[in-house]
Amino acid sequence: MPSPRDVDLRVDLAGILLPNPVMTASGCAAAGRELDAFFDVADLGAVVTKSIMLDPRAGRPTPRMAETPSGMLNSIGLQGPGIDSFLGQELPWLARRRARAVVSIAGSTLGEYAELARRVGSSPGVSAVEVNISCPNVANRGMVFACDPYQAAKVIAVVRRDVPRGVPVFAKLSPDVTDLVGVAEAVVAAGASGLSMINTTLGLAIDPGTLRPVLGGVTGGLSGPAIRPLALRCVWQVHQAMPDVPIIGIGGIKTGFDALAFLVAGASTVQVGTVIFHDPGAPMRIVAELRDELSRRAFTSAAQVVGLAHTPATDSLAATDLEGLRTP
Amino acid sequence: MPSPRDVDLRVDLAGILLPNPVMTASGCAAAGRELDAFFDVADLGAVVTKSIMLDPRAGRPTPRMAETPSGMLNSIGLQGPGIDSFLGQELPWLARRRARAVVSIAGSTLGEYAELARRVGSSPGVSAVEVNISCPNVANRGMVFACDPYQAAKVIAVVRRDVPRGVPVFAKLSPDVTDLVGVAEAVVAAGASGLSMINTTLGLAIDPGTLRPVLGGVTGGLSGPAIRPLALRCVWQVHQAMPDVPIIGIGGIKTGFDALAFLVAGASTVQVGTVIFHDPGAPMRIVAELRDELSRRAFTSAAQVVGLAHTPATDSLAATDLEGLRTP
Amino acid sequence: MTASAGPLQQRAEVLSRKQIGAYHILTLVAPGVAERCRPGHFAALAVGGPESGMLLRRAFSIYRVRESGTYGGTLDVVFDVHGPGTAWLATRGPHDIVDVVAPLGRPFALPADQVPCVLVGGGYGSAPLFTLADRLRERGCTVHMVLGASTEQRLFGALEARRSAHSSVVTTEDGSVGVRGRVTDVLSEVVGRSGAAVVYACGPMAMLAAVAGVAEAHGAWSQCAVEEAMACGIGVCMTCVLPVVGDDGRTRMVRSCVEGPVFRGDRVRWSDVGTVPADALGAARGGP
Amino acid sequence: MTASAGPLQQRAEVLSRKQIGAYHILTLVAPGVAERCRPGHFAALAVGGPESGMLLRRAFSIYRVRESGTYGGTLDVVFDVHGPGTAWLATRGPHDIVDVVAPLGRPFALPADQVPCVLVGGGYGSAPLFTLADRLRERGCTVHMVLGASTEQRLFGALEARRSAHSSVVTTEDGSVGVRGRVTDVLSEVVGRSGAAVVYACGPMAMLAAVAGVAEAHGAWSQCAVEEAMACGIGVCMTCVLPVVGDDGRTRMVRSCVEGPVFRGDRVRWSDVGTVPADALGAARGGP
Ligand SMILES: Cc1cc2nc3c(=O)[nH]c(=O)nc-3n(C[C@H](O)[C@H](O)[C@H](O)COP(=O)(O)OP(=O)(O)OC[C@H]3O[C@@H](n4cnc5c(N)ncnc54)[C@H](O)[C@@H]3O)c2cc1C
Ligand SMILES: Cc1cc2nc3c(=O)[nH]c(=O)nc-3n(C[C@H](O)[C@H](O)[C@H](O)COP(=O)(O)OP(=O)(O)OC[C@H]3O[C@@H](n4cnc5c(N)ncnc54)[C@H](O)[C@@H]3O)c2cc1C
Ligand SMILES: Cc1cc2nc3c(=O)[nH]c(=O)nc-3n(C[C@H](O)[C@H](O)[C@H](O)COP(=O)(O)O)c2cc1C
Ligand SMILES: Cc1cc2nc3c(=O)[nH]c(=O)nc-3n(C[C@H](O)[C@H](O)[C@H](O)COP(=O)(O)O)c2cc1C
Ligand code: FES
Ligand code: FES
């Protein structure tokens, strides 16, 4: 059994080399600065920054969150300082700290996405771009881009055009669709280097005091361990259909084993989101736990397990004497 | 404040009168018999029976379940004795116990649904029919009926034709669609008396021992409190679009307050499913708790709160001095 | 609670929790359960407290019950820390509350005649065998016990076996105590020597399959308590099924929580557990 | 833990939990926190244990800290059982473990000069005021306290106020102790009489708004500790915002966990809390 030290966690994600497969999820780590009090953000696979829009945004009214069983709802409404402030202050900080930055962008029109792609694409210190397409499309009666393969593909096409070749572009998919594989195929055909899955699923909570929706935004995004089985299913289905497309697995990851489950389901890397709120040290704890989970199963690298669950179980693996597998 | 005793829990569900709005969910109470050890099943609003198919079915291989955070996955595969045995043994038992029976039917083809509708429709002691359309359609590459408004509507049309007028037909919807309101409109246009929402959402879990999917069926249905926010959102959206269509709210209901939340979001009645596994006495506990929740908010009936969350909050309600609303 | 012979659901107070080797013995105050209990029944315990993310109950064989005494009836289970649910139970102490549903399932069938019986337990699987031994002795049966485990730490009740059985044999895979090997290595000899008419067994599936085979080879009946993952434990969910041959010779996928956990060993299709055999009732069609 | 002045995350042992009136005082062993703490900081506690369905931490003002002693540094919070998270905390006892992140937030700003100060607490909101009173007295400030609650049971620290302040007034809405009424009914008189330069306040939002108004009317500064629902408590999620006017006169939606919980009372747009005012930076557009 290789010692945890000997496990090679490095992964190649659509051409970018990361020291390990654990990233923070957009909107759950701001731009990394606050987490630096809990661990060195440069030790992460990458920091994915909060989705940034062109202009400053005040977001939605409060309450913006509701706790739900093993999860939470949020309706932040993409509050943020706008791209100028982001590129001027936050991105340089990450670069100075030598952290890998994946910049998440969000727009309400194709034009906004294109403009953001130009601005971000021409900035130094961007490892990759993640395109948050779970935004209402003002030109299409507010229908969310991610829910329509055609509109989703158009966003990716305009972004891809303006981001330099060496910088991969990830499309972040919503699970709230009938045909997820269809959306995935459309955005890959439009030039996405890979897929981030999943964004939150739409939910609602009722306030016991007012008997009205808790959230200022009425509905909100459900996240956390509650949605992990849903996220794993999405990763599984898309990897099954398109085994060569790099996937970033996201949704309720809390432990190193959860990260491993996403890798074997077909993800090349993972993002940790809501669980950071529970445990600010979670991302680096998960890196260490993933190392252990791999080592006790006699794997020598993270890369080798990607998609493993799609292959038939071998006896040797099933028989590995894991703690927790009892022989009475 | 009315005493809990004075709260009128009776509800009219698409023309059938129920003593209270709490039913068991299909597949989570078999045909009621086993729960009779924990409470009198005739005290329930209704018993919704496990979806029955024409022929006996052995279901899927085990493992058929996986526990997930605040939820579970199942892949039972509709194991059941077939319609003859059901009508011969189980339905008469419910009738003898004077319990209201809502019979859930499931098929793989339109012909099967039609045949089931005829058989069930002509049997005495059926209060309503619930049509489980979350089944693969063999005539359409195994695509689930519920995921296609056109196919879903066709199922409801054939069932409606063969179920007597006085017996309402509920279409049970899947949340795994892009446009839930579209499916709801299609099935109502096809003759559904009301909507049961929601069925499970598709998920997957990985086994720590084998690193392969836990479930014999690979993917399975996610249920339990984890999906409650998703279910509430579905009820909210459909009631918003079609306020006159009766809705049965389903998904993660654990307490009387959860039941109340579904009512104010727009459901006329609710079903309790997975939580029965945690607490076999849950359905009747929830009836009692719902009574208390209504009474402490000065409501005199369950019917009066249906859809309340869609109206603006009134000060009088917000100011009701609930336990849990602090005045320091 | 309408059926007086059915299970009771109660918020039971913990009287004590003791550690013995690798196991914990949890004693719960559960009035009324003792009177309804037969050897082979099980209990389903809710875990994690009111806001727990663990929704499903955990099933445990009932080890012992006391009908009344100072505490108005108690119930003991023996468990092993396996995952988070049992880890939580292992932190319970006196006065803590554990929600319990018991007794559940179909118990061991007792022989009508005074016949020799062999009781086989693997690991904590020996837990339900001691009350069974008592009932059998009361009926005038001779009782022989064979207990096995991977190592001494995981052997449960070896001393008690010496007291409650006419003869007892212990095996461990590492030889730390008793015969080195598995229970099935010695079972044939014990069954032969004792002339057993019934072999009772509780333990892992592979052991049960082997025990059923040995019993059959000796022309004895076998009664095996299986352990299948259960979501509800009360017969409403259909998760806990395994292929069992009925009186009519047909194989059906039957619920181990209400039609078991004790089955006739010759009726379970051991090598097909985890599958739906093609000849099982209703197996012809694939399913949603 | 790279930043030595930042928060620490630790699995803290419970030293004790006591009940005082409607409240619980929980003392946690948290080495290193005391040294980093200033009055007005808060702590975020994980609730429900490892498999809890409650994902989010609960925030509590830090009541007291001890730098070392036998236990190597402790931290006290005062809490009220509000919902399931605080109900779980109210079942913790000695040796239990509670995961804590502290100190968090921006503390009360202390005056540079030796000026009279009035400290106003509503319910458990008085908890952070006692260490504040100590710091102010050390600097030579005169300290006056006004504590209020709905009823005596919900009044926290009236006795301690008498010891730590030069003067103290107590109000209860039901008149069960002190003046019948609300803190704001007596506040103007206290601020006037004491000639306070700064009014510090912690309590419900409506009280803070009123206190800020009284302070302003008397030409005093106010420092108000707000309580907004927080998902992360560390500044990464943007759930805890409220509209605050900046030095440049612009209103921004600012995070109360890192830019607060203590704000200048004249800067918070109290009547707009819970909304995004139309003139706030970035408010022009609706949002996804
Ligand atoms: C009829 C019966 C009797 C049993 N008797 C005993 C006993 O006397 N002592 C004892 O230590 N254990 C016994 N078990 C096994 C015990 O139920 C499991 O060890 C326990 O459920 C594991 O829970 P966990 O949270 O620690 O593990 P996890 O693996 O985290 O459990 C996750 C889920 O899987 C289920 N599960 C996991 N392992 C098993 C298993 N082996 N059998 C059934 N379900 C499982 C759990 O119930 C839970 O729903 C019995 C099981 C059954 C069905
Ligand atoms: C900076 C700060 C300091 C606080 N100091 C104290 C204190 O010293 N003593 C004390 O008793 N309480 C204090 N509170 C309030 C305390 O955090 C809540 O009472 C507690 O979170 C309720 O949790 P629950 O599970 O019991 O209730 P629930 O209502 O079930 O909680 C559900 C969710 O809502 C959040 N929530 C509920 N009520 C509040 C609230 N009033 N403020 C913020 N979030 C809330 C919870 O954190 C949780 O995420 C403080 C809150 C903040 C933000
Ligand atoms: C408070 C909050 C804010 C979020 N903001 C964004 C965002 O700005 N852009 C985005 O693409 N996803 C956003 N997300 C979604 C997460 O990045 C992630 O996809 C989702 O929460 C599922 O992962 P988790 O369960 O680990 O949180 C947000 C999630 C939360 C909880
Ligand atoms: C074990 C299990 C079996 C189920 N079987 C059926 C079924 O036969 N027919 C059906 O319409 N729904 C079935 N469901 C779905 C439930 O009726 C319900 O819609 C869903 O579980 C959500 O509710 P819950 O969270 O309260 O369980 C099943 C659910 C579970 C957990
Ligand atoms: S565990 Fe539910 S039927 Fe057996
Ligand atoms: S609570 Fe997360 S930013 Fe303040």
Side-chain angles (χ1 to χ4, degrees):
Chain A
M1 193 152 79
S3 108
R5 249 197 351 257
D6 299 334
V7 174
D8 184 359
L9 289 184
R10 287 173 305 169
V11 285
D12 175 313
L13 179 68
I16 57 169
L17 191 77
L18 305 179
N20 66 66
V22 181
M23 316 158 86
T24 54
S26 180
C28 302
R33 219 186 268 241
E34 293 81 0
L35 290 184
D36 213 42
F38 298 93
F39 54 80
D40 184 345
V41 295
D43 289 342
L44 286 168
V47 173
V48 183
T49 57
K50 167 92 187 153
S51 296
I52 194 79
M53 301 195 75
L54 264 189
D55 298 319
R57 275 181 58 121
R60 288 258 178 75
T62 54
R64 289 180 170 184
M65 68 118 180
E67 193 181 53
T68 69
S70 296
M72 67 173 281
L73 289 166
N74 87 80
S75 72
I76 307 297
L78 294 182
Q79 178 174 348
I83 190 68
D84 291 338
S85 170
F86 175 79
L87 294 178
Q89 323 252 319
E90 306 186 3
L91 193 57
W93 181 87
L94 282 168
R96 277 200 306 280
R97 297 286 290 103
R98 302 198 172 281
R100 283 149 301 283
V102 174
V103 177
S104 170
I105 58 173
S108 318
T109 63
L110 288 178
E112 281 181 28
Y113 279 107
E115 171 74 11
L116 284 161
R118 270 192 293 280
R119 301 289 307 276
V120 172
S122 60
S123 299
V126 176
S127 294
V129 173
E130 186 176 85
V131 192
N132 177 357
I133 53 175
S134 293
C135 301
N137 177 353
V138 294
N140 189 13
R141 293 164 298 119
M143 215 250 215
V144 170
F145 289 100
C147 287
D148 176 351
Y150 177 73
Q151 295 292 340
K154 273 172 87 170
V155 173
I156 298 306
V158 301
V159 169
R160 180 68 278 181
R161 204 170 45 214
D162 284 314
V163 171
R165 282 198 143 272
V167 178
V169 171
F170 290 87
K172 186 160 180 186
L173 304 187
S174 161
D176 297 339
V177 296
T178 310
D179 178 15
L180 183 65
V181 169
V183 179
E185 284 169 347
V187 295
V188 168
S193 326
L195 304 165
S196 300
M197 291 190 302
I198 56 174
N199 212 318
T200 53
T201 176
L202 204 64
L204 181 127
I206 296 288
D207 184 294
T210 62
L211 293 185
R212 299 300 182 287
V214 174
L215 298 176
V218 183
T219 57
L222 182 63
S223 63
I227 67 164
R228 192 194 307 140
L230 172 57
L232 271 170
R233 182 266 295 177
C234 292
V235 169
W236 171 276
Q237 283 183 328
V238 172
H239 183 77
Q240 182 94 323
M242 317 165 74
D244 297 328
V245 175
I247 294 175
I248 304 177
I250 320 167
I253 293 171
K254 186 176 165 186
T255 66
F257 176 72
D258 298 339
L260 176 59
F262 274 87
L263 299 186
V264 299
S268 301
T269 66
V270 298
Q271 293 177 10
V272 180
T274 306
V275 164
I276 293 175
F277 308 162
H278 175 74
D279 175 10
M284 289 310 299
R285 171 178 57 73
I286 290 170
V287 170
E289 289 174 355
L290 175 61
R291 209 183 266 287
D292 291 345
E293 296 283 355
L294 289 165
S295 129
R296 59 203 276 248
R297 290 175 175 83
F299 294 113
T300 53
S301 80
Q304 88 190 93
V305 302
V306 173
L308 188 72
H310 295 261
T311 64
T314 59
D315 281 345
S316 73
L317 250 179
T320 307
D321 191 22
L322 291 172
E323 209 185 302
L325 281 183
R326 276 174 309 182
T327 35
Chain B
M1 193 151 79
S3 107
R5 253 198 346 260
D6 300 334
V7 174
D8 183 0
L9 288 184
R10 288 173 304 170
V11 285
D12 175 315
L13 179 68
I16 57 170
L17 191 77
L18 305 179
N20 66 65
V22 181
M23 316 158 87
T24 54
S26 180
C28 301
R33 219 185 266 243
E34 293 81 1
L35 289 184
D36 213 43
F38 298 93
F39 53 81
D40 184 344
V41 295
D43 289 342
L44 286 169
V47 173
V48 183
T49 56
K50 168 90 187 155
S51 296
I52 193 78
M53 301 193 76
L54 264 189
D55 298 319
R57 273 181 61 118
R60 288 258 179 75
T62 55
R64 289 180 171 185
M65 70 116 179
E67 192 180 55
T68 68
S70 297
M72 67 172 281
L73 289 167
N74 87 79
S75 71
I76 308 297
L78 294 182
Q79 179 175 348
I83 190 70
D84 291 338
S85 169
F86 175 80
L87 295 178
Q89 323 252 319
E90 306 185 5
L91 194 58
W93 182 86
L94 282 168
R96 278 199 306 280
R97 297 286 290 102
R98 302 196 173 282
R100 284 148 300 283
V102 173
V103 176
S104 170
I105 58 174
S108 318
T109 63
L110 288 178
E112 282 181 29
Y113 279 108
E115 172 74 11
L116 284 161
R118 269 192 294 280
R119 300 289 307 276
V120 172
S122 59
S123 300
V126 176
S127 294
V129 173
E130 186 177 86
V131 192
N132 178 358
I133 53 176
S134 292
C135 301
N137 177 353
V138 293
N140 189 13
R141 292 166 297 120
M143 215 251 214
V144 170
F145 289 99
C147 287
D148 176 350
Y150 178 71
Q151 295 293 341
K154 272 171 90 169
V155 173
I156 298 306
V158 300
V159 170
R160 181 69 278 183
R161 204 171 43 214
D162 284 314
V163 171
R165 281 199 143 270
V167 178
V169 170
F170 290 87
K172 186 159 179 188
L173 305 187
S174 160
D176 296 338
V177 296
T178 310
D179 178 15
L180 183 65
V181 170
V183 179
E185 284 169 348
V187 295
V188 168
S193 325
L195 305 166
S196 300
M197 292 190 298
I198 56 174
N199 212 318
T200 54
T201 176
L202 204 64
L204 180 128
I206 296 288
D207 184 295
T210 62
L211 293 185
R212 299 300 181 287
V214 174
L215 298 176
V218 183
T219 57
L222 182 63
S223 64
I227 68 163
R228 192 194 308 140
L230 172 57
L232 271 171
R233 182 266 294 177
C234 291
V235 170
W236 171 275
Q237 282 183 328
V238 171
H239 183 78
Q240 182 94 322
M242 317 165 74
D244 298 328
V245 175
I247 294 175
I248 305 177
I250 320 167
I253 293 173
K254 185 175 166 187
T255 66
F257 176 73
D258 297 339
L260 177 58
F262 274 87
L263 298 186
V264 299
S268 300
T269 66
V270 298
Q271 294 177 10
V272 180
T274 306
V275 163
I276 293 175
F277 308 162
H278 174 73
D279 176 10
M284 288 311 299
R285 171 178 57 74
I286 290 171
V287 171
E289 289 174 355
L290 175 60
R291 211 183 264 289
D292 290 345
E293 296 283 355
L294 288 166
S295 128
R296 58 204 276 249
R297 288 176 177 84
F299 293 113
T300 53
S301 79
Q304 88 191 92
V305 303
V306 174
L308 188 72
H310 295 261
T311 64
T314 59
D315 281 346
S316 71
L317 251 179
T320 307
D321 191 22
L322 293 172
E323 209 185 303
L325 278 185
R326 277 175 307 185
T327 36
Chain C
M1 329 284 147
T2 55
S4 75
L8 296 176
Q9 180 180 4
Q10 41 195 298
R11 289 170 48 76
E13 193 180 324
V14 174
L15 197 61
S16 67
R17 184 181 48 79
K18 294 192 200 89
Q19 264 177 279
I20 298 201
Y23 302 115
H24 298 256
I25 303 186
L26 188 69
T27 301
L28 299 171
V29 179
V33 170
E35 292 78 351
R36 294 159 188 244
C37 248
R38 304 273 169 283
H41 273 140
F42 69 94
L45 276 52
V47 293
E51 300 297 314
S52 173
M54 297 182 285
L55 207 57
L56 303 177
R57 284 174 185 262
R58 272 48 177 170
F60 302 96
S61 303
I62 294 174
Y63 164 45
R64 245 183 345 215
V65 290
R66 268 175 237 85
E67 288 218 358
S68 53
T70 332
Y71 303 100
T74 59
L75 154 70
D76 290 9
V77 297
V78 177
F79 69 93
D80 187 14
V81 172
H82 175 58
T86 44
W88 181 84
L89 284 174
T91 63
R92 294 306 90 188
H95 310 306
D96 284 340
I97 297 294
V98 175
D99 192 302
V100 60
V101 176
L104 292 168
R106 198 176 274 188
F108 290 112
L110 302 179
D113 305 319
Q114 303 192 344
V115 294
C117 300
V118 174
L119 280 52
V120 188
Y124 58 74
S126 49
L129 301 183
F130 304 104
T131 53
L132 173 63
D134 294 347
R135 288 299 87 69
L136 290 169
R137 283 202 330 275
E138 282 166 22
R139 296 174 157 246
C141 297
T142 338
V143 173
H144 305 275
M145 275 191 155
V146 181
L147 305 187
S150 55
T151 175
E152 182 171 13
Q153 284 284 301
R154 311 189 74 78
L155 195 68
F156 182 77
L159 217 72
E160 204 172 342
R162 287 231 291 275
R163 280 198 304 264
S164 50
H166 295 89
S167 86
S168 74
V169 182
V170 154
T171 66
T172 52
E173 286 176 47
D174 65 357
S176 50
V177 63
V179 180
R180 178 192 300 265
R182 299 179 173 226
V183 288
T184 39
D185 298 338
V186 302
L187 184 61
S188 191
E189 192 273 324
V190 176
V191 173
R193 152 164 67 80
S194 63
V198 193
V199 181
Y200 292 93
C202 182
M205 212 60 100
M207 184 199 98
L208 299 180
V211 169
V214 170
E216 198 149 4
H218 286 79
W221 296 106
S222 63
Q223 287 270 307
C224 298
V226 305
E227 200 184 294
E228 262 292 343
M230 294 179 177
C232 76
I234 58 169
V236 296
C237 77
M238 311 299 288
T239 60
C240 60
V241 299
L242 73 182
V244 174
V245 181
D247 290 333
D248 59 358
R250 283 287 328 236
T251 296
R252 288 180 184 77
M253 299 304 292
V254 311
R255 294 164 300 176
S256 60
C257 65
V258 286
E259 299 171 64
V262 179
F263 290 101
R264 268 175 56 177
D266 59 330
R267 289 292 178 83
V268 176
R269 291 178 58 171
W270 298 104
S271 57
D272 294 323
V273 168
T275 71
V276 175
D279 59 345
L281 182 68
R285 336 175 53 131
Chain D
M1 327 286 145
T2 55
S4 74
L8 295 176
Q9 180 180 3
Q10 41 194 300
R11 290 170 48 77
E13 192 182 324
V14 174
L15 198 61
S16 66
R17 184 181 47 81
K18 295 194 200 89
Q19 263 177 278
I20 298 198
Y23 303 114
H24 298 256
I25 304 187
L26 188 71
T27 302
L28 299 171
V29 179
V33 171
E35 292 78 351
R36 294 159 189 244
C37 248
R38 304 272 168 283
H41 272 141
F42 69 95
L45 275 53
V47 292
E51 300 298 312
S52 174
M54 296 183 285
L55 206 57
L56 304 176
R57 284 174 184 262
R58 274 44 179 172
F60 302 96
S61 303
I62 294 173
Y63 165 45
R64 247 181 345 215
V65 290
R66 269 174 237 86
E67 287 218 357
S68 52
T70 331
Y71 303 101
T74 60
L75 153 70
D76 290 8
V77 297
V78 176
F79 69 91
D80 188 14
V81 172
H82 175 59
T86 45
W88 181 84
L89 283 174
T91 62
R92 295 304 91 188
H95 309 305
D96 285 339
I97 297 294
V98 175
D99 193 303
V100 59
V101 176
L104 291 168
R106 199 175 274 188
F108 290 111
L110 302 179
D113 305 319
Q114 306 192 341
V115 293
C117 300
V118 174
L119 280 52
V120 188
Y124 59 72
S126 49
L129 301 182
F130 303 104
T131 53
L132 173 64
D134 294 347
R135 287 300 86 69
L136 290 170
R137 284 203 328 275
E138 281 166 23
R139 297 175 156 244
C141 297
T142 337
V143 174
H144 306 275
M145 275 192 154
V146 182
L147 305 187
S150 53
T151 176
E152 183 171 12
Q153 284 284 303
R154 311 190 74 78
L155 196 68
F156 181 78
L159 217 72
E160 203 172 344
R162 286 231 289 278
R163 281 198 303 265
S164 52
H166 295 90
S167 85
S168 74
V169 182
V170 154
T171 66
T172 52
E173 285 177 48
D174 64 358
S176 50
V177 63
V179 179
R180 178 191 299 266
R182 301 180 171 224
V183 289
T184 41
D185 297 337
V186 302
L187 185 62
S188 191
E189 193 272 325
V190 176
V191 173
R193 155 165 64 81
S194 62
V198 193
V199 181
Y200 293 92
C202 183
M205 212 59 99
M207 183 199 99
L208 300 179
V211 169
V214 171
E216 199 150 1
H218 286 80
W221 297 107
S222 62
Q223 287 271 307
C224 298
V226 306
E227 199 184 293
E228 263 291 344
M230 295 177 177
C232 76
I234 58 169
V236 297
C237 77
M238 312 298 288
T239 59
C240 61
V241 299
L242 72 183
V244 173
V245 181
D247 290 333
D248 58 359
R250 282 290 325 239
T251 295
R252 289 180 183 76
M253 300 304 293
V254 311
R255 294 165 298 176
S256 60
C257 65
V258 286
E259 299 171 64
V262 179
F263 290 101
R264 269 175 56 178
D266 59 330
R267 290 292 178 83
V268 177
R269 291 177 57 171
W270 299 104
S271 57
D272 294 324
V273 169
T275 71
V276 176
D279 59 343
L281 181 68
R285 333 174 57 130

